[in-house]
Amino acid sequence: MKVGIVGAGMVGSAAGFAIVMRGVASEVVFVDRNAALAQAQREDIHHAVPFAQSCKLGAGGYESLQGAGVVILAAGVAQKPGESRLSLLSRNAEVFSEVISQVRTYAPDAILIVASNPVDIMTEVAQRASGLPPERVIGTGTLLDSARFRALLAGHLGIAAHSVHGFVLGEHGDSEVLAWSSARVGAEPLDRIAAQLGVDITESVRAKIDEGVRRAAYRIIEGKGATWYGIGAGLARLVLAIRDDQRAVLTLSVRTPHVAGVDDVAVSLPRVVGAAGVVSTLIPSLDPPEWEALHRSTALLKESAKGLW
Ligand code: ADP
């Protein structure tokens, strides 16, 4: 499958690199308003191909997106240290309106994946601007946050992250909700397995993991200015699910009619992903405080988008 990447900055190039290293695409094309940057990323990643799977690399204008099955939207202005994702909104919304019409002209059949922040609102901006059905405009949402949750919980338990299941739902940002009540190890509830292993899941352990997930982006931005490897790997995982019609369950942001008492909002829930995009949404089992937190997070997003359309 051919994958287009608009925005060849840190996130776009990390996605391209991860896609090449995992052998997810037959062709990757970079588009950026900084044409020299797009070319440089193409050339650098091209040199990784002999160490990975075969893949054609390209860079150019929007016309080079022709034939893409998926286009990743990673264009935008980077989050500054200490800046909230929501404050990025107006700057990035402007960039998007320009980008979407070009993408639709040259890759009308592509599924759009939105990675630019604030990702939930940018997903709705992209869906509205593109006129595509919501299931074909997928925001990365809490894809990475759920991976962080699983990685931290797995480390605490001494179990492989692949065998630890837990969702982060709601906004990709400060108000996101770690769904502790539905976390599983293998197929068993977390508390039961932790007790068997003799590992504490006390309030302070939960608080530490919660902080580790929720504040991860801020910490990484403080140390290196932006985050890119985690989301790049997540994007490659998502493209693979689409390419192979995997029906994988991933937490992703998609414009949804009703979520936790809020109507018509793009927010992350567990979604089943295949070749057609999001093929269904799973309703998680949450305890009442988690539902309340999901409601607050979703309502906050709805409020932040007010006035945009
Ligand atoms: P991030 O860390 O989110 O990847 P970067 O600043 O590294 O942020 O990358 C964002 C990229 O998006 C930059 O390379 C920038 O040139 C590109 N970009 C910004 N506006 C547009 C646009 N209108 N069309 C194409 N690319 C754009």
Side-chain angles (χ1 to χ4, degrees):
M1 185 168 71
K2 175 170 173 175
V3 177
I5 301 178
V6 179
M10 299 315 299
V11 171
S13 61
F17 183 61
I19 285 168
V20 166
M21 295 311 287
R22 282 195 80 175
V24 174
S26 54
E27 186 175 355
V28 172
V29 177
F30 290 105
V31 177
D32 197 291
R33 73 169 169 203
N34 179 347
L37 177 67
Q39 279 297 347
Q41 301 289 22
R42 179 205 66 77
E43 189 174 355
D44 195 5
I45 295 173
H46 185 217
H47 300 160
V49 168
F51 307 121
Q53 317 277 332
S54 73
C55 181
K56 231 173 115 181
L57 270 298
Y62 284 94
E63 68 287 349
S64 58
L65 297 176
Q66 272 170 19
V70 167
V71 175
I72 294 171
L73 303 174
V77 281
Q79 194 171 8
K80 294 174 188 156
E83 186 185 25
S84 80
R85 288 191 181 90
L86 293 178
S87 81
L88 278 175
L89 174 60
S90 52
R91 292 194 288 155
N92 268 337
E94 259 171 54
V95 170
F96 257 44
S97 53
E98 174 195 326
V99 165
I100 300 279
S101 73
Q102 295 279 357
V103 171
R104 293 286 294 140
T105 301
Y106 293 104
D109 299 325
I111 288 176
L112 304 185
I113 296 179
V114 180
S116 307
N117 279 316
V119 69
D120 301 290
I121 293 170
M122 298 314 296
T123 301
E124 186 164 350
V125 167
Q127 191 276 327
R128 286 174 180 268
S130 66
L132 284 165
E135 62 272 19
R136 296 183 71 81
V137 183
I138 306 172
T140 49
T142 56
L143 173 68
L144 176 55
D145 311 76
S146 293
R148 287 172 175 153
F149 184 25
R150 293 172 67 195
L152 293 183
L153 194 50
H156 180 70
L157 293 165
I159 288 205
H162 295 85
S163 299
V164 175
H165 305 284
F167 295 133
V168 179
L169 307 171
E171 179 205 7
H172 171 57
D174 299 343
S175 73
E176 66 192 21
V177 182
L178 279 70
W180 284 97
S181 68
S182 61
R184 292 282 181 279
V185 180
E188 293 296 314
L190 168 64
D191 287 340
R192 194 177 305 162
I193 294 299
Q196 280 182 36
L197 296 173
V199 175
D200 280 340
I201 304 282
T202 57
E203 274 312 309
S204 79
V205 168
R206 286 175 195 246
K208 197 163 170 235
I209 292 177
D210 182 291
E211 200 274 343
V213 173
R214 197 180 302 277
R215 303 290 303 172
Y218 290 99
R219 263 195 317 278
I220 297 168
I221 289 168
E222 235 174 85
K224 63 180 222 178
T227 77
W228 55 84
Y229 291 124
I231 190 62
L235 282 160
R237 172 71 190 91
L238 175 53
V239 173
L240 185 63
I242 295 169
R243 186 197 72 181
D244 291 349
D245 194 23
Q246 282 184 341
R247 311 291 167 124
V249 177
L250 302 167
T251 52
L252 296 163
S253 189
V254 173
R255 194 174 168 198
T256 307
H258 310 287
V259 181
V262 179
D263 290 340
D264 189 18
V265 61
V267 69
S268 283
L269 289 174
R271 315 279 184 175
V272 181
V273 184
V278 166
V279 295
S280 46
T281 293
L282 307 181
I283 306 303
S285 43
L286 303 177
D287 64 20
E290 289 167 350
W291 274 118
E292 180 49 35
L294 183 58
H295 169 76
R296 279 197 306 272
S297 181
T298 307
L300 179 85
L301 278 172
K302 181 84 184 175
E303 183 62 30
S304 313
K306 248 191 193 150
L308 274 182
W309 31 74

